[in-house]
Amino acid sequence: MLDIKEILIRISIALDYANGRKPEFTLKLALVSVFLAKLANCSQREIHLVYLSSLFKSIGCTSYSPEEAEIFSGDDISFKSAFSTVDSINKLEALLQIQKLRADSKWEELKMKFRLIIDGNNLYKNIIEAHCDSARMLIQEINLDPEISKIINDTYERFDGKGTPSKKKANEIHFLARIISISYYFNSLSEITDTKSIRKLLEKNKGKMFDPVLVDYLLRFIEELSLMIHSNTIHEDALFISPNIYVDHLQSVAMMISYLPDFKSRYTSLHSKKVSELALYLAKKLKLTEDEQNKVYISALLMNIGMVCIPTGILEKEGKLNPSERERMETHTFFTDQILKKSKLLEPYLEYCISHHENLQGTGYHRRTKDLNIGQSILCYADKVIALGSDRSFRKAYPNTEILKILKQEVLAGILEERIFPFVEEYLGFKQKTPNRGENKYSLTDREIQVLELIAEGHTNKQIAKDLQISSRTVQHHSIHIYEKMGVKSRSAAVMVAFKEKILQL
């Protein structure tokens, strides 16, 4: 059994980056929430729940990133950051925050404002539902207490009943969710203003956004809490109060982590899973030891976590990236390094995770190293093959013959390891074309499965309609039926369920 509490802390750092927050924001949230829970005489189990729910509050934050980017000028990260302290029912406050987003033009800014005025409530509800839906699935992935999902769901409610998604009010809202909500607001404000202003805003929202009793608790200890969250030992303090969280092996944790970057773009829903399958195949063919095979497989699932730091507008840009965008894209391996380091359990995988865009000529990124072992070279191959064989916003997937031609050229140029190429050629040659699906326990029709497969590949309703020669409205109806049958409310959750139940094959 492995105690993964330190890994959960590293995941929280990734979530901070994904939300445009300073690293350790989520750890501060957990510390403040635990402090308030103890003041409220919560049980030890409740204290553990509030800690874990705080860490996982934003775990579903990438599940709606493509839609957020589409609405908010391509930068879903800046959107999350700008709206962190906005009252969800205050449209004027929301409109003012739009000016903080980097719109390409005044017209783009105007379109964002119109969208908020006309459809702001539905937009916010869709974001929260997708977030909570994905959080529930990800929490199940490592068998955490299901009550954590219920707590996270309630953190978006308001004490006065005007919140989302269920309009719960007062004591209908889980008490631990009420603690986390006010702690999140306090931490967010602490990044941008002083305690005097925070006091005024908390008093203003007493009985509206927040539980009056918890507002009083926080105001009484606001100076102490301010000192606590500005400590230079946040990481150690959070680790100290963390309960022990045990799993049988790292695979389930790595699988959960892989969904965070994969959902940043419509085109990469199962990217890390496909890369890990190919990487493991190559490791076996090259007769690596069982330990090395496991290392390659786990690394393939972990290595794109730094993608959560890249705005989805860059990931889904239809044209060529400009130098600034390219530079930002290439920082994702650096951020993978920042996120995964300081974890003793993940340290053995770190060198593999940050090398998949390096090459034998030393012209890759981010370290420009050319000293790659066979395991690292496998990951370079696997990531490249899966990317080339998948649709992207700026091109269609390459056929296998073209992929092999590109790889052969790079082998001849001394960029890729020659020993691996024959096994990639073999893999692409016999890769099953007809998937062996698992039991269709949701009674999806053949047409609904076709639609789901195209959703997972990043196709829009319009593209799916064209591919299947049906109307966009029919595609929309199919999507609604798929979600209803599977008991989910978002694209990301539907893909997770379908992959887990083997309805979707790699």
Side-chain angles (χ1 to χ4, degrees):
M1 296 288 283
L2 296 171
D3 183 359
I4 61 167
K5 61 185 177 184
E6 62 168 30
I7 296 180
L8 300 190
I9 285 177
R10 301 321 300 171
I11 293 173
S12 80
I13 301 297
L15 298 176
D16 291 338
Y17 285 127
N19 286 307
R21 314 310 297 258
K22 296 175 182 175
E24 298 188 340
F25 174 89
T26 299
L27 299 184
K28 294 174 184 178
L29 170 63
L31 290 170
V32 173
S33 296
V34 166
F35 185 95
L36 292 178
K38 288 182 177 179
L39 282 180
N41 293 316
C42 288
S43 67
Q44 192 61 42
R45 177 178 181 271
E46 288 173 323
I47 289 169
H48 287 171
L49 281 174
V50 83
Y51 173 86
L52 292 171
S53 300
S54 297
L55 281 194
F56 278 87
K57 174 176 163 45
S58 298
I59 194 68
C61 68
T62 60
S63 61
Y64 209 69
S65 290
E67 292 82 359
E68 290 169 345
E70 196 172 84
I71 296 163
F72 298 104
S73 200
D75 197 342
D76 54 307
I77 297 175
S78 291
F79 160 72
K80 291 180 176 77
S81 177
F83 281 75
S84 61
T85 59
V86 172
D87 180 350
S88 61
I89 66 171
N90 189 329
K91 284 214 169 54
L92 178 59
E93 191 177 345
L95 288 171
L96 291 173
Q97 290 300 100
I98 286 288
Q99 294 172 322
K100 293 187 178 182
L101 302 180
R102 294 190 293 273
D104 293 333
S105 65
K106 284 292 180 184
W107 173 239
E108 287 295 319
E109 183 180 313
L110 193 59
K111 282 199 293 185
M112 286 191 273
K113 289 180 177 178
F114 274 135
R115 182 71 188 271
L116 269 181
I117 293 169
I118 294 169
D119 199 31
N121 291 339
N122 281 335
L123 173 62
Y124 182 66
K125 189 170 186 291
N126 289 341
I127 291 172
I128 299 309
E129 285 185 339
H131 178 130
C132 294
D133 211 22
S134 298
R136 174 175 58 85
M137 299 299 303
L138 292 167
I139 286 165
Q140 286 176 5
E141 196 74 40
I142 55 173
N143 297 315
L144 288 181
D145 191 322
E147 191 167 353
I148 294 170
S149 299
K150 296 176 183 176
I151 294 167
I152 291 172
N153 266 42
D154 279 6
T155 60
Y156 299 97
E157 305 290 354
R158 289 169 50 106
F159 196 77
D160 59 10
K162 296 178 181 179
T164 295
S166 303
K167 304 293 182 187
K168 293 182 181 180
K169 63 184 298 186
N171 292 338
E172 295 173 349
I173 305 168
H174 199 297
F175 183 64
L176 300 183
R178 284 179 263 159
I179 288 176
I180 294 171
S181 295
I182 193 169
S183 300
Y184 186 89
Y185 189 68
F186 166 72
N187 275 19
S188 297
L189 290 174
S190 296
E191 289 190 341
I192 58 176
T193 192
D194 55 28
T195 53
K196 183 178 179 181
S197 300
I198 295 173
R199 281 182 181 276
K200 288 181 181 178
L201 288 166
L202 287 171
E203 288 284 5
K204 178 184 173 184
N205 285 294
K206 187 175 179 179
K208 295 178 182 178
M209 290 174 69
F210 307 117
D211 184 331
V213 173
L214 293 175
V215 171
D216 288 340
Y217 280 154
L218 204 155
L219 289 174
R220 194 179 310 160
F221 291 95
I222 194 168
E223 301 297 340
E224 290 88 339
L225 288 168
S226 293
L227 284 173
M228 182 177 75
I229 63 174
H230 288 100
S231 163
N232 59 4
T233 60
I234 295 295
H235 186 279
E236 292 75 14
D237 295 341
L239 194 59
F240 178 75
I241 65 169
S242 172
N244 297 324
I245 305 295
Y246 292 104
V247 296
D248 292 331
H249 47 71
L250 276 180
Q251 182 174 327
S252 60
V253 185
M255 185 64 71
M256 180 192 72
I257 291 173
S258 74
Y259 282 111
L260 303 183
D262 284 0
F263 284 137
K264 280 287 291 182
S265 168
R266 292 182 183 91
Y267 300 94
T268 57
S269 294
L270 294 173
H271 177 80
S272 296
K273 273 63 74 180
K274 293 177 180 178
V275 172
S276 65
E277 181 196 63
L278 174 53
L280 182 59
Y281 172 87
L282 296 174
K284 288 179 176 178
K285 283 292 182 177
L286 287 155
K287 295 182 169 47
L288 271 60
T289 66
E290 193 170 327
D291 284 347
E292 277 295 302
Q293 289 177 27
N294 180 65
K295 187 174 181 180
V296 165
Y297 181 77
I298 297 293
S299 298
L301 291 171
L302 295 173
M303 67 189 191
N304 274 314
I305 185 61
M307 280 292 188
V308 301
C309 308
I310 312 301
T312 297
I314 292 178
L315 300 178
E316 296 197 341
K317 186 174 179 179
E318 293 185 359
K320 186 178 179 181
L321 298 182
N322 63 40
S324 175
E325 292 166 338
R326 170 56 60 186
E327 184 177 352
R328 183 146 189 198
M329 175 71 88
E330 292 183 0
T331 64
H332 80 268
T333 52
F334 166 78
F335 281 110
T336 293
D337 190 2
Q338 296 300 299
I339 291 165
L340 298 183
K341 70 181 184 180
K342 293 187 180 179
S343 167
K344 291 178 182 177
L345 287 175
L346 298 180
E347 188 176 4
Y349 307 94
L350 187 57
E351 277 296 313
Y352 278 36
C353 288
I354 61 176
S355 300
H356 63 288
H357 285 291
E358 305 289 359
N359 63 57
L360 299 177
Q361 290 289 313
T363 57
Y365 61 86
H366 68 279
R367 296 177 302 163
R368 303 289 190 262
T369 182
K370 56 183 177 181
D371 185 19
L372 302 178
N373 65 29
I374 193 67
Q376 291 167 311
S377 288
I378 285 173
L379 292 171
C380 295
Y381 261 100
D383 188 69
K384 187 182 289 286
V385 169
I386 298 304
L388 289 171
S390 305
D391 286 348
R392 291 293 184 260
S393 56
F394 53 91
R395 60 159 173 79
K396 297 294 287 181
Y398 287 104
N400 288 351
T401 52
E402 188 63 25
I403 293 172
L404 290 171
K405 183 179 177 182
I406 293 169
L407 296 178
K408 188 65 175 177
Q409 288 172 345
E410 294 195 1
V411 168
L412 293 173
I415 293 171
L416 291 174
E417 168 63 60
E418 185 176 6
R419 286 177 291 167
I420 300 173
F421 178 80
F423 300 114
V424 174
E425 191 172 27
E426 181 182 284
Y427 178 86
L428 292 179
F430 78 78
K431 177 69 174 162
Q432 250 184 328
K433 300 300 179 184
T434 304
N436 181 22
R437 296 192 180 96
E439 181 186 355
N440 184 0
K441 62 191 280 187
Y442 301 103
S443 301
L444 298 179
T445 66
D446 289 343
R447 178 63 91 187
E448 286 168 348
I449 291 174
Q450 283 182 307
V451 170
L452 183 55
E453 286 173 335
L454 292 171
I455 288 172
E457 289 171 12
H459 292 221
T460 64
N461 283 359
K462 187 176 179 181
Q463 290 169 329
I464 295 171
K466 183 179 179 182
D467 288 345
L468 301 181
Q469 296 185 326
I470 56 180
S471 70
S472 293
R473 184 178 291 276
T474 301
V475 175
Q476 188 176 22
H477 286 317
H478 283 315
S479 299
I480 292 169
H481 293 155
I482 291 166
Y483 293 174
E484 286 176 348
K485 288 179 179 182
M486 298 178 81
V488 300
K489 296 181 180 179
S490 63
R491 168 188 59 86
S492 52
V495 171
M496 271 191 275
V497 172
F499 173 67
K500 193 169 186 178
E501 298 295 338
K502 295 184 170 55
I503 296 169
L504 290 178
Q505 293 288 299
L506 299 180

